[in-house]
Amino acid sequence: MKKVILSCVFLLNMTMAFAQKFIWDKHEFEAVNTKVAIVNMDGIQVLKVERDLIAFPFDEKNIDTSTDGPTYVKLTNVAMENGTIEVKMLSRIMENSPFPAARGFIGVAYRVNQENKNFDAIYLRPSNGRADDQLRRNHTIQYFSYPGNTFSRLRKEATGLYETYADIGLNEWIDVRIEFQDEKAVLYINNQKSPSFIVTKMLGTSKTGSIALWVEIGTVGYFKDLKVTKK
């Protein structure tokens, strides 16, 4: 019986990895530069997402041009200017990661245009949250906009304005809520009353678009309980 169950799960993973569009939790998604599977975790069906390194190659010697890009699963038929995104996410660093400095990068993109050429995003680096190095802790949460405003550019030019600390870790469910309105975005973590992160002026050029669940290099990301509310 165990062999049969494992075979079915493997077949599902292979099918989802090569699908352009799929249904999860009553929503239709499009996989963009990612490998996707619906898996059982503690008796619940969750979405598993990894970056597809064939569709979107990674060059460790050229970080700026090969990270912070469209590597996500995107909701189809959604156009949203302002609103709220709520989702639970868990990340792990994959075995034999192609990037030794992987931090479990996982987050949410929004105002994603139809061609996947413009969007804003906020993501987490869970392994930084409880590091012994304070500088690493300061880089636990990150905002960026695509294209152009990568984490490395903002770190150099904005002196910490677009990243901050949070008490989070790998291999644990993190409750995330992002509220975005006009130029401002606010992030709440684990149902705290006060925001963990405030972006006063977003830099993206897309004023409306879809929502996407985002991962980066070396990450195995899991998502559940997605809720999107237009404002």
Side-chain angles (χ1 to χ4, degrees), residues 29 72-75 85 107-110 112 210-214:
F29 289 85
Y72 44 58
V73 294
K74 181 176 72 171
L75 278 169
I85 307 160
V108 175
Y110 49 98
V112 184
S210 189
I211 306 303
L213 305 175
W214 182 93

Side-chain angles (χ1 to χ4, degrees), residues 177-196:
R177 185 171 95 249
I178 298 173
E179 299 176 357
F180 58 100
Q181 173 78 34
D182 302 327
E183 294 185 329
K184 185 176 181 179
V186 182
L187 169 70
Y188 295 85
I189 288 181
N190 292 333
N191 299 306
Q192 293 180 343
K193 292 183 179 180
S194 297
S196 297

Side-chain angles (χ1 to χ4, degrees), residues 122-159:
I122 296 176
Y123 69 89
L124 311 177
R125 301 184 182 98
S127 72
N128 284 359
R130 295 169 191 150
D132 292 334
D133 181 349
Q134 184 60 47
L135 185 59
R136 271 189 62 184
R137 288 189 175 214
N138 295 344
H139 300 324
T140 304
I141 301 174
Q142 179 76 56
Y143 164 85
F144 76 96
S145 71
Y146 179 83
N149 292 297
T150 62
F151 83 91
S152 57
R153 177 182 178 182
L154 294 177
R155 189 171 292 174
K156 293 174 185 176
E157 298 180 5
T159 59

Side-chain angles (χ1 to χ4, degrees), residues 5 8-17 19 21-29 35-41 44-50 73 221-224:
I5 292 174
C8 290
V9 172
F10 177 74
L11 178 61
L12 176 62
N13 287 347
M14 291 296 291
T15 302
M16 294 300 296
K21 294 183 179 180
F22 63 95
I23 302 295
W24 172 67
D25 197 24
K26 300 180 181 179
H27 298 289
E28 184 181 68
F29 289 85
K35 297 180 179 180
V36 184
I38 298 173
V39 300
N40 187 297
M41 183 179 288
I44 299 173
Q45 297 292 306
V46 303
L47 192 63
K48 176 184 176 183
V49 185
E50 299 177 40
V73 294
Y222 299 88
F223 299 89
K224 67 178 182 178

Side-chain angles (χ1 to χ4, degrees), residues 95-111:
E95 295 183 10
N96 303 315
S97 168
F99 184 43
R103 304 296 189 221
F105 313 108
I106 189 168
V108 175
Y110 49 98
R111 293 179 178 168

